[in-house]
Amino acid sequence: MSRAVLSIGSNLGDRFAYLRSVVDALAGRLIAVSSVYSTPPWGPVPQENYLNAVVVVEDPAFGPRDWLACGQELEQRADRVREIRWGARTLDVDVVWCAEVRRDGTHPVVSTDPTLTLPHPQAHNRAFVLVPWSEVEPDAALEVQGRTRPIRELLAELDPGEIEGVRMTELSLRTADR
């Protein structure tokens, strides 16, 4: 069994509907869904703000590559086009963290494979990932450069302006059973 943290974001078209499509597609696997946040774009390309959220998912039949394939399929369904690095997108689904769930506990997966680097190599630098993740898993930890650290510590090290740019919206991806 594996458990994963997925960061989802959109800044083109019906942004909320694209995020909702991820939650709907993963409904049977959802453990937690964060609030929806409005966030400034990351990178040098001028574009509109994003809507971002984090979902925590679990599936006995899935491994890390399955979560990647699932995210890519959801992006394709949303007509995601990859033309410009850090460019605007209908939907972005990133596997931020993944772990194998065994009888003796949860064991984070580390991968240096360029197709799926785990944990996500920039997650610790991105408030739009850490803020919603800390909302749904306040005690979560992330390995950064070989050292496991609480995400609340990683958040405390970010520029306060970046954290202030991550603003909770009134939108909700949660339903009564989530």
Side-chain angles (χ1 to χ4, degrees):
M1 174 180 285
S2 73
R3 183 179 187 110
V5 174
L6 308 177
S7 174
I8 59 176
S10 174
N11 76 336
L12 283 178
D14 188 341
R15 302 174 303 161
F16 182 71
Y18 287 125
L19 298 185
R20 165 63 59 205
S21 73
V22 173
V23 171
D24 290 346
L26 297 172
R29 301 173 178 134
L30 287 172
I31 301 300
V33 180
S34 76
S35 298
V36 177
Y37 293 82
S38 175
T39 65
W42 181 268
V45 180
Q47 56 193 295
E48 298 298 317
N49 281 355
Y50 278 81
L51 288 182
N52 285 100
V54 160
V55 295
V56 180
V57 288
E58 202 169 82
D59 190 308
F62 268 41
R65 291 195 180 284
D66 298 308
W67 294 118
L68 176 65
C70 179
Q72 290 172 338
E73 179 182 328
L74 293 170
E75 290 174 348
Q76 288 173 353
R77 286 187 203 169
D79 297 322
R80 160 108 185 241
V81 177
R82 296 177 187 265
E83 292 178 349
I84 301 171
R85 186 173 187 189
W86 293 314
R89 56 202 74 168
T90 55
L91 182 62
D92 188 36
V93 180
D94 285 336
V95 181
V96 173
W97 177 90
C98 195
E100 294 177 355
V101 179
R102 302 184 205 145
R103 289 187 180 140
D104 64 339
T106 302
H107 302 274
V109 173
V110 176
S111 169
T112 58
D113 183 326
T115 307
L116 179 59
T117 305
L118 288 170
H120 190 288
Q122 292 301 317
H124 67 285
N125 292 321
R126 296 182 174 165
F128 68 85
V129 171
L130 296 178
V131 170
W133 187 8
S134 68
E135 174 195 332
V136 294
E137 291 191 323
D139 296 326
L142 183 65
E143 184 175 317
V144 179
Q145 299 174 341
R147 186 171 156 226
T148 302
R149 301 184 53 212
I151 58 174
R152 67 181 168 276
E153 281 183 17
L154 298 169
L155 260 171
E157 293 174 0
L158 292 180
D159 181 290
E162 185 173 342
I163 295 169
E164 291 168 9
V166 179
R167 296 180 317 274
M168 188 183 294
T169 71
E170 293 182 8
L171 301 170
S172 177
L173 294 166
R174 297 181 186 110
T175 61
D177 60 338
R178 287 186 202 121

